[in-house]
Amino acid sequence: MEGPELVNSLRQLVISFEPYLRNASSYEQAQEVLLNLEAHDENFHRYQFVSQLRAKIDESLGGLIEDEFERFSMSQGSDVASDQKTVVQKVTDQVLKSREFENLTHYLRTNVSQAAQTLQNNFEQEFGSGRHGPDFEDVRDKRHSNEMDANMSFSSSYPGSLMFMNQDQAQKLAEELDPHRSLEDRQCSLHTLCSLAPLDVVASDQWSDIRRGLLAALEDPDLNLATKSLKFIAQGFSTVTSQTKELYLLLVDYLVDLCKKNLSRLKNGVDVRKSEHIRIIRSFRLLNEFQLIVPSYWIRCPEILVEQVIESTLKLFSMQHVSTVASSVTNIPMTALHLMALIDPKAMWFNKWMHGSYSRIPLLQKLDGQKKIIENAVKHCLEFTASRKIPFDLMSDISDTLSRVSNSDGHRMHYTRHEMDYIYFIHSLNLLGKLLCHKEGRKFFPIKVKDISEPISITKFLCSLIQLIVDPGNLVTVKYNPVSQQFDPGILVTDMLKVLCIHHDVTILCKDEVTNTLLSPISHWLDDEDTGGHACPESAYLHIADILAQLAASSQGRQHLLYGEGQDRFTRTKSSAAHIIADFAKKAINYDLPGDFAAPPSTIVTGSFVYICRQLYNTCEGLLAMNAYELHTTLAEALNEVSRELDMASTPTPGSDSGSDIDDPKKLSIWSDTLKDNLLNFAATPKGVLLLQQTHTMPECVSYMYSRYRNKLQVSKCEKFGYGTMVSQLAATAAGMVALRQSGFIQSIINNTWTVLECGLDDSPVFHGKIWAVEPVYKDAHKQLINLLKVLTSYAAVYEVLHEQPLPSHENYTFRQMPNTVIELIDRLVFVDKDIKIHSLFNYEQSHVFGLRMFGIIMSCLDTFLLIQSQYKIQEMLLSCQEANSINDRDIILDMLSFERNYILVKTYLIGGPSERVIPPRSISEDSSVSFPYPLFSTYPVPREYVPNVAGRSAMKQVGDSLEVPSSPTFSSEENELSHFLHETKNSVYESDWMERCRKTFGHLLETKPEQAKGHVMQELLEKVLESATNKQDEMTFPLITYSGTDSSLRSFNLTPVQELGVKIAVRYGMHLKLLNSGSDASENLTHLLKQCGHYLQQQQRGGSYSTLRFLRTKTYPGFDWFASTIFLLMNGNLDRSWRFLYQFSMLIASGYLWLPRLHRSVHMPTGLMTSGILPVFSSTGHNVELVLQSEFPLIYSAFRMSGYNVAQICENWLRQCFWNYLDWMDIVHYICVCILMGIDYQVYMCVAILKHMQQDILQHLQEQDLIIFLKEEPLRGFRVGEHLNFMKQLEKKFRKTILSDMQNISKP
């Protein structure tokens, strides 16, 4: 770094300062920019001075730095890696204090100062006007090596010096620019002008004279003169201010004059080797560059500037030349947009101007006055579509000429007129596509086009474009090369339509005419119709599938495909697009398409149309519409066939043909994955899970899902979310849980959880310690908690992984011993009751709290709690831990572990709705004067503070035991309209209209005086309704089988530990509500009732020993009978009355949904449904709840989808235990009565009403990412059945036809 070389490199660096100095408004700002030049200049490290400086530093200090690092490493040993920041700081300090650094700084300071002094002494020579020398030219040439781009791009044409202009100089320049002056004077004047600040020139008083001179220079025959004038304009475009408008208008005026004179000369194309064509292309290139950059500065500019820029631009683009003589080349008039399309074929200028409302509104307003632009674009698109049918190969012509004339760098030098017309078509297509994306843009249609009698509507225009896809004409034979394939009109139209599909308002595509046109090749194929033209190539079918898949990704598009234009939801019509697609896909898979029309479609085409079906059937309403096609069966059979072919392909036989699709192992493998992927998506809905399970391909599909999940692959090209919803849907069933466990998915979740809480398998050192967690379950662990809860909140899933699984018993636990199963994780995180387990955890408190929190949430399901308590005695373990955590065996220490234990102990002991029990918080209150107002305990029963004082027994039943109505026509205070109705009609329950009158009376009471609908009135109501229903054949779904139980058979019938524990809990709840008088008698009676029910239901069960599911291998229902217990309490513990009701109730369809043990392994169910282990309350009720939510409450539906949790799972949890712990007793009774009296579809409507009631809480907890925790743990506060009955009736009017028929068809999925 010395001598002339240093001077040259420093000169280059100083020249690069110039644009930053010009833009700086003050000396301080300029200084700040130069001091931070590296952050502002992307070419900073390319400057010669910077490169020389870096090399010098490496040469002088590189060895010293390496020696310092090595010395420090040897002195500190292995601790170097633990504190990299300290190492760097210490080494830096040593280097800065070294002799070498001092010598280097002295050397650099001396040499750079001398070089700077040399430049200063020769300033005029080094930096004068036009004297940048070869160094500046090298910089400019490096930035833009292409001559044409350099001349047309304002981004590379920076001013040449820091000169400023006074008024005398401005007057002199204006005079010298006069067209009558000599060429040398004008060139010298333009040279000087380019060295000035363009915005200062525009702001001068002589601008009007200078403008005339510049315009004359642009139009001058001398190309160099015009080029310098363009350079001046380009320099002005480097910044956007109010003065920039004048330069833009100058350029537009020039182009207007240029087009008037030259459009007629371009009828045969553009040749950039001709000077007049070079002039045009350069000017349009400069115009386009400014158009692309100016939207970033719209907001800074006054509205008048925006309007004038837009108005002048549209004036230019509306110009066209219509020849009066017929052309042998084309009949399309030459327009200014032909030339702009050559520069910007994708119409990016229009896309950017339409992006923001600041420019979009005035653009559309001005465009309304220049409709000729849109008319020309529409007309050209329509004419191009029509020309596809004439016998000349336009695309072949283009692809041939693309490489016919070019320069040595491969840049095109000549464009034929056909090419320009086609590029104009591309430009018009993109312009109109963007226009149609906006509501105001669509108002231009219908549009009147010259030579076409009727106005062109949007639908007609789109159908015309679609012809380029579905009716390729002679272009079927075109052999595309990689260059021309990107210009394929089918691809261009497909991309445009896909953009319209992505847009929020896709109604313009939701027209039967549009979809019918798209599906015309499919319809012809299905009908075996020969259209007389060329058969569609495979690419056409792929384009069609691509567009329809994108359309099906939106709710509006999906509804249109399912039902057609203007049809009501759930209206089944075989002519809708979905049915055509499903029919084609099914026949294509089965190779059942008519063979005379075309060759069978490839697996790629078939897979594309199956993908559209998948986007439909992975929603509840789509599955409802397409269930008749049984695609799950078709896909499963195809998968089995492919598996056999893959096995055969692995052992080829002599003489076999390996050239076909079907024999190619690679293609077979891809097709197999496609089938698994589409089958897997049935698991997106509850009913779909049942269908998938019945195909017996669930394990394969889940393994495929886990492989994609492990590799972090996207679900599909149109899916917004991951596999979370599918995983939770699968984990809600026993079969799904088994498949998840076998695939390794459960182990992966457990391993990830352990890695976050404790340590991973790789045991890599942690350089930076974790921030100490403020919350008991910190952010990283919270995510793993949610993942675990998604697979463990269903009782069927928990039963599969925990039933008869003892806790592991190890003498030693190590820090690195990672759990792989659920039971191992529970052993390490929940049952931490030994010192050896405590000492085996790195983070004992955090990990143990995590385990307790997880257990507390999953035990919100009462069946899960009963299973865990009966097998592992969780309550006893927690009580002993509380006792061990006490001081002097009296006061329990307040810490986060004792709070978690106390929460679980109270929650699992007490049963009740939101007002019937008190659940303690998990933390200390900051607002209360008392840190924790509830007592901790180490023995049961729980302290009185947790048990609220509910009203006496009279509050739980109708006041007065008698339903006798007094002789007076007026009611007494002890009666109500329902009791009066039941008394008056006690002998007419068999009349046809009795049930309807009873519904009206009950509904009116529930809506007006719900507090009176209780006790003996409800008992009488249920018995009368049951008596009326069982007398009608259409109400009875199941046969009434004679009960064969005897005293001896009942004595030998043993309840499971889960059921025995459930009896204690149910009796305790009844005693708390004052519904039962004697605890011992009630326990005996309830036990006897459950034995009777169990024996009676076993008479109607198939054997389950052959099943691989633990859930089906037990002789009795594996959970507790919450419905029978509810009826027992409702009947005030009357054994005979309860049994008589349940025995008669077993005939009704409602028993299959309210009484879950009713259909466990039932002979009344088909073998396929029975062996699935999936009860109708999940596959039918849960499915229909999602169906209604998707239609009526899309926000709630989307919230569940985004959370990865599903509606059916929480609904099954509520319904499984008859809303125990979620609703107060009175509302539980109302729920039972509503479902039996009003219809079993009210079970669906009630779940929807609950979710509607909780909508705001659901949306809030979605944002807090704890929706699953909130729904599982929180009772349904503030929900009253009577208050929402009217809403349920509205849902009945809208959905009963669909939902009730589905629920009544209980023997079919």
Side-chain angles (χ1 to χ4, degrees):
M1 292 187 67
E2 57 187 11
E5 184 181 3
L6 178 59
V7 173
N8 291 335
S9 63
L10 192 59
R11 182 197 301 112
Q12 182 197 38
L13 182 65
V14 172
I15 290 173
S16 70
F17 295 165
E18 186 171 345
Y20 303 104
L21 295 176
R22 284 192 173 279
N23 292 331
S25 59
S26 63
Y27 172 79
E28 290 77 11
Q29 184 180 358
Q31 185 180 27
E32 176 66 22
V33 171
L34 294 181
L35 289 175
N36 297 278
L37 188 62
E38 183 178 7
H40 295 89
D41 192 346
E42 62 181 8
N43 296 312
F44 178 79
H45 291 281
R46 300 176 184 173
Y47 295 132
Q48 188 178 359
F49 179 82
V50 177
S51 301
Q52 292 174 347
L53 180 61
R54 187 189 299 111
K56 189 65 178 177
I57 293 174
D58 290 341
E59 178 187 348
S60 304
L61 302 178
L64 175 63
I65 293 173
E66 291 178 1
D67 293 343
E68 288 295 330
F69 267 109
E70 184 177 355
R71 183 181 62 81
F72 191 83
S73 175
M74 293 178 63
S75 63
Q76 297 295 323
S78 61
D79 293 335
V80 175
S82 64
D83 196 356
Q84 292 290 348
K85 187 176 181 181
T86 305
V87 174
V88 173
Q89 287 179 342
K90 291 184 178 181
V91 171
T92 303
D93 292 341
Q94 292 295 327
V95 171
L96 293 179
K97 296 176 184 178
S98 67
R99 181 73 176 177
E100 291 86 347
F101 180 77
E102 184 179 352
N103 294 338
L104 177 63
T105 53
H106 177 73
Y107 172 82
L108 292 176
R109 190 181 300 112
T110 302
N111 288 1
V112 173
S113 297
Q114 292 176 356
Q117 187 65 37
T118 301
L119 293 175
Q120 185 176 358
N121 294 338
N122 301 280
F123 184 81
E124 285 300 323
Q125 180 181 353
E126 299 289 349
F127 301 103
S129 175
R131 298 177 182 177
H132 289 159
D135 294 310
F136 181 74
E137 295 298 329
D138 290 343
V139 174
R140 185 174 63 187
D141 291 342
K142 287 179 181 178
R143 290 179 178 174
H144 295 275
S145 59
N146 184 278
E147 180 182 357
M148 182 183 296
D149 289 350
N151 287 331
M152 293 189 297
S153 176
F154 67 82
S155 62
S156 62
S157 302
Y158 295 105
S161 73
L162 304 178
M163 293 177 60
F164 297 93
M165 179 183 66
N166 55 38
Q167 294 299 321
D168 293 338
Q169 289 174 320
Q171 182 63 38
K172 182 180 179 182
L173 288 173
E175 293 173 356
E176 291 179 349
L177 282 173
D178 189 275
H180 299 92
R181 299 293 292 267
S182 65
L183 181 62
E184 291 76 10
D185 290 343
R186 295 170 70 190
Q187 287 181 340
C188 183
S189 177
L190 279 173
H191 188 80
T192 304
L193 202 63
C194 288
S195 66
L196 301 173
L199 300 185
D200 293 340
V201 176
V202 174
S204 67
D205 295 337
Q206 286 74 30
W207 166 243
S208 59
D209 297 331
I210 295 175
R211 187 182 190 278
R212 283 192 295 270
L214 287 170
L215 186 58
L218 287 169
E219 297 175 345
D220 196 272
D222 186 81
L223 185 60
N224 290 330
L225 198 65
T227 301
K228 289 185 178 180
S229 184
L230 278 179
K231 284 185 178 181
F232 174 76
I233 297 175
Q235 290 173 188
F237 286 168
S238 61
T239 58
V240 179
T241 64
S242 57
Q243 286 82 13
T244 312
K245 171 195 66 176
E246 297 296 331
L247 295 173
Y248 185 80
L249 295 178
L250 169 64
L251 180 60
V252 171
D253 289 345
Y254 163 64
L255 287 173
V256 168
D257 294 337
L258 197 64
C259 288
K260 288 180 180 178
K261 300 174 182 177
N262 290 280
L263 281 179
S264 61
R265 303 175 185 174
L266 300 175
K267 62 182 180 180
N268 294 322
V270 174
D271 189 344
V272 295
R273 295 169 297 181
K274 297 180 180 180
S275 60
E276 63 271 21
H277 292 187
I278 292 175
R279 187 190 301 260
I280 296 174
I281 296 302
R282 285 178 177 177
S283 302
F284 271 98
R285 172 64 182 272
L286 181 59
L287 181 81
N288 183 248
E289 283 205 355
F290 181 76
Q291 289 173 338
L292 296 178
I293 197 65
V294 74
S296 304
Y297 303 96
W298 284 134
I299 198 65
R300 304 181 188 177
C301 305
E303 292 182 6
I304 187 65
L305 182 146
V306 179
E307 292 178 0
Q308 289 183 350
V309 167
I310 291 175
E311 186 174 6
S312 61
T313 303
L314 297 181
K315 178 183 176 182
L316 169 64
F317 289 161
S318 63
M319 294 188 63
Q320 67 180 40
H321 170 74
V322 182
S323 178
T324 58
V325 181
S327 173
S328 60
V329 180
T330 178
N331 293 324
I332 302 172
M334 190 71 180
T335 68
L337 274 177
H338 276 77
L339 300 171
M340 177 54 68
L342 198 60
I343 304 299
D344 186 10
K346 295 290 187 180
M348 292 305 299
W349 71 272
F350 191 77
N351 284 341
K352 287 181 175 290
W353 285 21
M354 288 287 288
H355 181 68
S357 61
Y358 195 77
S359 58
R360 181 172 62 249
I361 294 175
L363 175 59
L364 292 174
Q365 290 173 349
K366 300 294 182 183
L367 201 57
D368 191 48
Q370 296 287 354
K371 286 187 178 180
K372 187 183 297 184
I373 296 175
I374 302 176
E375 292 173 5
N376 288 340
V378 173
K379 186 174 186 295
H380 184 57
C381 289
L382 295 177
E383 290 180 348
F384 179 80
T385 303
S387 70
R388 300 281 287 174
K389 299 182 180 180
I390 64 176
F392 76 87
D393 191 350
L394 178 61
M395 285 302 298
S396 179
D397 180 43
I398 291 177
S399 59
D400 289 343
T401 55
L402 275 173
S403 58
R404 187 181 299 160
V405 182
S406 62
N407 61 15
S408 58
D409 296 331
H411 293 284
R412 291 294 305 281
M413 304 298 291
H414 180 263
Y415 295 87
T416 66
R417 179 59 195 276
H418 281 315
E419 288 177 328
M420 294 191 66
D421 285 340
Y422 184 68
I423 294 173
Y424 177 46
F425 163 73
I426 298 174
H427 187 277
S428 300
L429 193 64
N430 284 276
L431 186 147
L432 293 171
K434 187 65 177 179
L435 194 69
L436 292 175
C437 286
H438 298 276
K439 180 180 179 181
E440 295 299 319
R442 293 192 289 272
K443 290 181 179 179
F444 286 94
F445 291 84
I447 188 169
K448 181 67 178 173
V449 177
K450 186 179 178 182
D451 299 332
I452 299 179
S453 58
E454 295 182 359
I456 304 300
S457 64
I458 295 177
T459 301
K460 184 175 181 180
F461 175 67
L462 293 178
C463 290
S464 177
L465 293 178
I466 292 172
Q467 292 298 323
L468 297 174
I469 302 175
V470 302
D471 186 15
N474 293 330
L475 292 184
V476 177
T477 58
V478 175
K479 301 296 185 181
Y480 293 117
N481 58 47
V483 178
S484 65
Q485 190 169 13
Q486 61 180 317
F487 299 121
D488 177 25
I491 295 176
L492 296 171
V493 174
T494 299
D495 291 341
M496 171 196 167
L497 295 178
K498 286 169 63 178
V499 170
L500 293 178
C501 292
I502 295 172
H503 204 267
H504 295 295
D505 188 3
V506 298
T507 53
I508 59 175
L509 289 174
C510 296
K511 304 292 182 183
D512 286 342
E513 188 177 351
V514 174
T515 49
N516 289 340
T517 305
L518 262 177
L519 289 171
S520 57
I522 308 299
S523 301
H524 294 326
W525 200 337
L526 290 172
D527 298 335
D528 199 16
E529 294 180 2
D530 188 359
T531 58
H534 295 277
C536 284
E538 179 176 293
S539 59
Y541 291 102
L542 294 177
H543 294 331
I544 295 170
D546 221 11
I547 296 168
L548 293 174
Q550 200 67 62
L551 185 63
S554 67
S555 58
Q556 286 179 302
R558 183 168 53 248
Q559 186 174 348
H560 172 70
L561 293 178
L562 288 172
Y563 312 115
E565 182 182 355
Q567 296 291 332
D568 293 333
R569 231 165 182 168
F570 311 118
T571 302
R572 300 188 180 185
T573 168
K574 288 291 184 179
S575 61
S576 68
H579 293 286
I580 297 174
I581 297 168
D583 191 22
F584 176 79
K586 183 171 184 176
K587 290 182 177 179
I589 295 172
N590 293 330
Y591 299 99
D592 196 26
L593 287 169
D596 297 336
F597 181 78
S602 68
T603 55
I604 299 176
V605 171
T606 303
S608 299
F609 281 90
V610 173
Y611 177 76
I612 304 171
C613 298
R614 148 187 168 173
Q615 287 184 282
L616 299 177
Y617 65 62
N618 68 5
T619 64
C620 295
E621 61 177 341
L623 186 61
L624 177 67
M626 304 185 69
N627 198 17
Y629 291 93
E630 298 185 346
L631 285 175
H632 62 290
T633 303
T634 303
L635 292 170
E637 291 173 352
L639 179 60
N640 294 332
E641 180 65 25
V642 170
S643 300
R644 287 192 293 269
E645 290 175 2
L646 279 172
D647 293 340
M648 294 174 62
S650 61
T651 56
T653 58
S656 61
D657 181 13
S658 61
S660 62
D661 267 9
I662 201 169
D663 292 329
D664 189 340
K666 184 177 180 181
K667 292 182 179 180
L668 280 175
S669 179
I670 295 174
W671 179 229
S672 174
D673 288 346
T674 301
L675 293 170
K676 292 176 186 176
D677 202 14
N678 290 302
L679 272 169
L680 174 65
N681 274 263
F682 276 98
T685 63
K687 194 179 292 292
V689 173
L690 175 59
L691 297 176
L692 177 61
Q693 198 276 339
Q694 289 187 304
T695 64
H696 306 292
T697 60
M698 183 180 285
E700 296 175 72
C701 295
V702 173
S703 296
Y704 170 79
M705 177 186 70
Y706 177 58
S707 67
R708 291 184 63 86
Y709 170 82
R710 186 178 53 209
N711 295 323
K712 295 180 171 56
L713 298 177
Q714 186 178 354
V715 177
S716 74
K717 59 185 177 182
C718 294
E719 290 288 336
K720 297 184 178 71
F721 308 106
Y723 287 108
T725 303
M726 289 186 198
V727 171
S728 62
Q729 293 277 21
L730 289 166
T733 66
M737 188 61 178
V738 171
L740 288 170
R741 183 180 58 190
Q742 292 174 348
S743 69
F745 199 98
I746 302 299
Q747 180 180 345
S748 174
I749 294 177
I750 293 172
N751 291 161
N752 292 338
T753 301
W754 190 260
T755 300
V756 170
L757 293 175
E758 294 292 322
C759 67
L761 286 173
D762 54 357
D763 201 23
S764 58
V766 180
F767 295 116
H768 302 287
K770 297 178 182 177
I771 300 175
W772 188 263
V774 176
E775 296 294 330
V777 179
Y778 54 92
K779 184 177 180 180
D780 291 342
H782 178 80
K783 182 178 180 181
Q784 301 304 322
L785 175 63
I786 297 299
N787 290 338
L788 278 171
L789 292 177
K790 286 178 184 177
V791 297
L792 292 177
T793 52
S794 169
Y795 177 64
V798 174
Y799 192 87
E800 286 299 318
V801 296
L802 293 185
H803 178 58
E804 296 181 348
Q805 297 296 306
L807 288 172
S809 178
H810 300 292
E811 295 183 0
N812 294 306
Y813 292 88
T814 65
F815 288 110
R816 311 301 179 194
Q817 184 177 345
M818 178 177 288
N820 294 316
T821 63
V822 174
I823 191 63
E824 290 177 357
L825 184 71
I826 291 173
D827 180 55
R828 297 297 301 275
L829 297 184
V830 181
F831 289 87
V832 191
D833 52 353
K834 299 178 182 178
D835 289 343
I836 189 173
K837 291 185 179 180
I838 296 175
H839 298 154
S840 69
L841 298 175
F842 283 113
N843 306 298
Y844 160 63
E845 287 193 342
Q846 282 75 23
S847 298
H848 192 24
V849 165
F850 179 94
L852 293 175
R853 181 71 57 92
M854 176 190 70
F855 242 41
I857 296 169
I858 67 173
M859 287 193 298
S860 297
C861 173
L862 290 176
D863 279 333
T864 300
F865 160 67
L866 295 179
L867 177 67
I868 292 173
Q869 172 62 20
S870 62
Q871 289 190 177
Y872 307 120
K873 309 299 180 185
I874 180 70
Q875 289 179 330
E876 289 76 0
M877 187 274 291
L878 295 176
L879 289 172
S880 64
C881 288
Q882 290 291 75
E883 183 178 4
N885 197 37
S886 61
I887 303 175
N888 300 325
D889 297 330
R890 188 177 54 168
D891 297 329
I892 298 176
I893 299 173
L894 297 179
D895 58 21
M896 60 182 180
L897 286 174
S898 60
F899 287 153
E900 287 290 338
R901 296 190 199 103
N902 187 64
Y903 175 87
I904 296 175
L905 287 169
V906 175
K907 179 180 177 179
T908 56
Y909 184 84
L910 295 177
I911 300 294
S915 66
E916 296 169 348
R917 63 174 181 169
V918 177
I919 303 297
R922 286 186 167 114
S923 59
I924 296 175
S925 174
E926 297 180 359
D927 301 329
S928 176
S929 57
V930 181
S931 59
F932 193 74
Y934 300 98
L936 302 183
F937 58 94
S938 58
T939 57
Y940 277 145
V942 299
R944 189 173 301 172
E945 287 82 355
Y946 298 108
V947 186
N949 183 24
V950 297
R953 183 179 179 184
S954 59
M956 296 299 155
K957 64 178 182 178
Q958 187 70 20
V959 179
D961 293 338
S962 176
L963 290 175
E964 296 296 326
V965 178
S967 58
S968 172
T970 59
F971 297 154
S972 69
S973 60
E974 297 181 351
E975 298 165 345
N976 57 49
E977 56 182 309
L978 181 59
S979 63
H980 183 76
F981 170 81
L982 293 174
H983 176 77
E984 285 192 340
T985 62
K986 61 182 179 180
N987 296 323
S988 59
V989 294
Y990 301 125
E991 295 180 2
S992 58
D993 64 337
W994 182 89
M995 190 75 79
E996 186 61 33
R997 288 188 290 143
C998 184
R999 287 173 184 148
K1000 290 181 180 179
T1001 306
F1002 173 70
H1004 184 264
L1005 179 65
L1006 208 59
E1007 292 180 88
T1008 56
K1009 300 176 181 179
E1011 69 281 354
Q1012 294 185 7
K1014 56 186 176 182
H1016 287 288
V1017 175
M1018 295 295 101
Q1019 297 171 9
E1020 187 76 11
L1021 173 68
L1022 288 177
E1023 290 175 339
K1024 294 293 183 182
V1025 169
L1026 190 62
E1027 184 180 357
S1028 176
T1030 53
N1031 193 49
K1032 300 174 183 177
Q1033 290 297 326
D1034 57 341
E1035 295 284 347
M1036 294 186 292
T1037 303
F1038 307 110
L1040 185 64
I1041 297 177
T1042 304
Y1043 174 62
S1044 62
T1046 62
D1047 291 341
S1048 61
S1049 62
L1050 291 182
R1051 280 194 298 270
S1052 62
F1053 189 96
N1054 296 321
L1055 298 182
T1056 65
V1058 168
Q1059 293 168 337
E1060 291 176 350
L1061 186 59
V1063 169
K1064 296 179 182 179
I1065 289 178
V1067 171
R1068 188 187 306 145
Y1069 184 41
M1071 296 295 293
H1072 172 57
L1073 296 176
K1074 309 298 190 294
L1075 295 172
L1076 304 175
N1077 293 323
S1078 170
S1080 58
D1081 292 343
S1083 297
E1084 184 178 345
N1085 288 337
L1086 181 56
T1087 300
H1088 190 274
L1089 177 65
L1090 294 179
K1091 287 184 176 182
Q1092 280 183 298
C1093 293
H1095 188 278
Y1096 175 65
L1097 295 179
Q1098 275 190 7
Q1099 294 178 223
Q1100 308 170 54
Q1101 288 180 355
R1102 289 189 176 96
S1105 58
Y1106 57 85
S1107 177
T1108 58
L1109 301 177
R1110 295 173 180 170
F1111 199 78
L1112 294 177
R1113 287 206 296 261
T1114 58
K1115 293 183 178 180
T1116 60
Y1117 178 68
F1120 183 66
D1121 195 338
W1122 299 104
F1123 178 76
S1125 301
T1126 302
I1127 296 299
F1128 179 77
L1129 297 185
L1130 193 151
M1131 299 297 181
N1132 296 118
N1134 189 312
L1135 173 61
D1136 294 335
R1137 204 172 181 181
S1138 302
W1139 164 244
R1140 189 165 53 250
F1141 175 85
L1142 291 170
Y1143 180 65
Q1144 296 291 329
F1145 180 67
S1146 65
M1147 292 188 293
L1148 303 184
I1149 186 64
S1151 65
Y1153 293 93
L1154 294 175
W1155 192 9
L1156 266 61
R1158 175 71 182 90
L1159 295 180
H1160 178 68
R1161 287 170 43 183
S1162 174
V1163 295
H1164 306 303
M1165 303 289 287
T1167 305
L1169 286 177
M1170 188 274 293
T1171 55
S1172 69
I1174 300 174
L1175 295 175
V1177 75
F1178 175 78
S1179 63
S1180 185
T1181 301
H1183 182 88
N1184 286 303
V1185 172
E1186 289 193 16
L1187 176 71
V1188 177
L1189 287 180
Q1190 187 176 359
S1191 173
E1192 300 295 312
F1193 301 99
L1195 283 179
I1196 300 177
Y1197 178 79
S1198 298
F1200 276 94
R1201 296 278 295 192
M1202 293 171 67
S1203 70
Y1205 193 45
N1206 66 79
V1207 179
Q1209 201 166 356
I1210 187 60
C1211 290
E1212 186 198 24
N1213 185 29
W1214 292 337
L1215 301 174
R1216 172 181 290 278
Q1217 57 200 53
C1218 294
F1219 289 101
W1220 285 35
N1221 279 355
Y1222 290 102
L1223 290 177
D1224 288 337
W1225 173 251
M1226 184 181 296
D1227 289 292
I1228 293 175
V1229 174
H1230 292 170
Y1231 155 70
I1232 298 292
C1233 294
V1234 164
C1235 290
I1236 295 177
L1237 176 60
M1238 309 295 285
I1240 192 55
D1241 52 331
Y1242 270 76
Q1243 188 181 58
V1244 173
Y1245 309 146
M1246 179 153 175
C1247 291
V1248 174
I1250 291 172
L1251 293 168
K1252 172 180 174 288
H1253 172 74
M1254 302 171 65
Q1255 178 168 343
Q1256 293 304 318
D1257 292 328
I1258 289 173
L1259 297 178
Q1260 176 186 343
H1261 286 278
L1262 170 67
Q1263 292 189 350
E1264 296 173 2
Q1265 299 181 2
D1266 62 350
L1267 178 60
I1268 184 174
I1269 298 174
F1270 167 75
L1271 292 173
K1272 289 286 291 183
E1273 289 203 305
E1274 286 299 311
L1276 306 177
R1277 303 183 189 277
F1279 181 83
R1280 297 291 178 264
V1281 176
E1283 294 176 2
H1284 295 83
L1285 187 60
N1286 186 54
F1287 169 72
M1288 297 183 209
K1289 291 179 180 178
Q1290 294 174 9
L1291 293 179
E1292 176 196 353
K1293 293 178 182 178
K1294 196 169 185 178
F1295 293 98
R1296 165 157 278 192
K1297 182 179 178 181
T1298 299
I1299 292 177
L1300 186 59
S1301 61
D1302 176 70
M1303 298 182 76
Q1304 288 175 338
N1305 194 13
I1306 199 168
S1307 61
K1308 293 183 179 180

